[in-house]
Amino acid sequence: MRAKTSLIGFICTVATTIILLTFGDQRPKIQSLVSETHRQLKNNFKNIKVCLKGASADERYLTLVGLSGDHPRLYPDDVWTNSSLPVVVSYVRTGDLGQAVGLARNIAHFLPNHTLLIYNFGLPEQQLQTLANYCNNSRCVLVKFELSVFPPHVSDENLHAFRPLIIQDAVSRTGAVFYLENDQRLTTSEIGTLIHRASSNGVVTWRVASRPVTALTHPRMFKYLQSPAAEYFYFTPMVDLSRLLMYNTQQVRQSVLLPWVKCALNHDCIQPIGAQSGGCRFDKKPNYRYSGCHGHDASALSVLLGLFYNFDSDIY
């Protein structure tokens, strides 16, 4: 009996020793697992903070162009009263001095009661002084606009992502704008019909001849703008953004200007992967097939206007 008890005790001792030898090093592994999990959680929280910081940056950009706040200036209740509306808006960059001078003289001649706002994108000082000789009164104002405070792609002249920003900035200040590229010229003072249409419908545009939106818009842009399938735009005309009338109504601000500016601030929206502005192939049949050319800000506006007006392009 004693021998049996001793044998059982010996077996228990051996078994305990084996267990300790086998599993005795598991504690460090468990501690390592806990430490690794803790590290991953910390990294996840860091990533969340980075994402939140990025999201707030968009809000800062929107604030810079007057698209934030609970009490925006809207047409017709809160507009400029010291100038006939719409206010004419354009911009000038290095190399555009001659065009800007020509536009200033043109607007002063045909629309003397309308103010011209020329957004300055870093014109050299000497050229700026020359332009000021033609734009130095209450009816012509040079507006300094720092593109460097926005995402880098906004400064890219090929993308024209800055156009939605200055149009939004100007319309939020004044209530109504007549945007013109600086190489455009008026040939008449009779724009009353255009003003009536724009003030009634919110927007008046010109068209790219015989080109539907789908021919000049990269397919990925439709997804970024959360629009229906591209097929809905087969017969919606492409907008020519060299000239545009826009009134800052609540509906236009919320449904057109806000998503347009947000797209302009997002590189992947304004310039989807694979999009390019050259190498157009307009020989494709039918003509609503994507030509290989993307219109960037004009494409985004064309999509948004199609949605806003329920694809009835006769309205705008």
Side-chain angles (χ1 to χ4, degrees):
M1 186 68 180
R2 290 179 181 176
K4 185 177 181 180
T5 302
S6 299
L7 179 60
I8 293 174
F10 175 75
I11 292 173
C12 290
T13 301
V14 172
T16 302
T17 302
I18 293 173
I19 291 173
L20 290 174
L21 290 174
T22 304
F23 298 101
D25 61 344
Q26 292 303 301
R27 180 174 176 81
K29 292 182 180 179
I30 293 173
Q31 289 178 336
S32 298
L33 178 61
V34 172
S35 298
E36 177 65 18
T37 302
H38 183 63
R39 185 184 65 80
Q40 291 179 357
L41 286 173
K42 288 179 67 177
N43 288 339
N44 287 340
F45 280 120
K46 287 181 180 179
N47 291 336
I48 291 172
K49 290 179 179 179
V50 169
C51 290
L52 291 175
K53 185 177 180 181
S56 64
D58 287 343
E59 187 64 28
R60 291 197 299 271
Y61 298 141
L62 295 179
T63 300
L64 290 174
V65 294
L67 262 177
S68 64
D70 298 327
H71 303 287
R73 301 184 65 177
L74 298 173
Y75 181 86
D77 298 325
D78 191 1
V79 299
W80 269 14
T81 57
N82 59 346
S83 171
S84 296
L85 293 180
V87 168
V88 183
V89 175
S90 191
Y91 68 90
V92 61
R93 303 185 73 148
T94 301
D96 291 342
L97 176 61
Q99 296 288 9
V101 168
L103 180 63
R105 297 179 64 180
N106 178 258
I107 298 303
H109 176 73
F110 285 107
L111 299 177
N113 295 322
H114 293 253
T115 300
L116 170 62
L117 301 180
I118 300 180
Y119 281 73
N120 172 27
F121 296 158
L123 199 66
E125 186 62 31
Q126 185 175 358
Q127 295 184 25
L128 192 60
Q129 291 299 323
T130 301
L131 180 56
N133 293 331
Y134 301 90
C135 185
N136 60 353
N137 55 62
S138 61
R139 288 289 177 260
C140 188
V141 180
L142 293 173
V143 181
K144 186 177 181 180
F145 196 78
E146 294 288 351
L147 294 178
S148 60
V149 302
F150 296 98
H153 72 272
V154 171
S155 301
D156 189 335
E157 192 167 3
N158 293 320
L159 304 186
H160 288 109
F162 52 80
R163 287 195 295 199
L165 304 187
I166 64 171
I167 290 172
Q168 160 56 33
D169 182 73
V171 80
S172 70
R173 296 170 184 264
T174 65
V177 300
F178 185 5
Y179 174 78
L180 292 171
E181 283 286 300
N182 56 38
D183 62 353
Q184 299 291 299
R185 300 292 182 266
L186 297 180
T187 58
T188 179
S189 301
E190 302 300 322
I191 63 171
T193 301
L194 292 174
I195 291 175
H196 176 72
R197 282 187 59 198
S199 61
S200 300
N201 300 329
V203 180
V204 166
T205 65
W206 283 256
R207 315 293 172 77
V208 176
S210 304
R211 299 299 172 199
V213 175
T214 48
L216 292 169
T217 302
H218 193 280
R220 287 193 178 92
M221 175 171 273
F222 295 101
K223 296 180 181 179
Y224 276 106
L225 294 174
Q226 299 180 347
S227 71
E231 289 80 2
Y232 284 83
F233 295 87
Y234 279 170
F235 304 102
T236 301
M238 183 73 176
V239 168
D240 177 2
L241 202 47
S242 61
R243 48 201 183 278
L244 168 76
L245 277 90
M246 184 170 285
Y247 279 65
N248 196 33
T249 65
Q250 176 63 44
Q251 294 80 8
V252 169
R253 180 181 186 272
Q254 192 65 32
S255 300
V256 179
L257 283 165
L258 180 59
W260 192 29
V261 169
K262 283 186 174 181
C263 180
L265 291 169
N266 183 338
H267 184 273
D268 290 336
C269 180
I270 203 73
Q271 172 78 348
I273 296 174
Q276 57 186 23
S277 56
C280 309
R281 289 192 54 193
F282 293 128
D283 57 343
K284 293 183 177 182
K285 302 296 181 181
N287 72 340
Y288 55 68
R289 290 181 59 193
Y290 181 50
S291 67
C293 283
H294 178 61
H296 303 107
D297 60 331
S299 291
L301 182 61
S302 298
V303 172
L304 292 168
L305 289 177
L307 295 173
F308 182 58
Y309 291 107
N310 199 27
F311 305 101
D312 185 357
S313 59
D314 290 336
I315 298 177
Y316 61 94

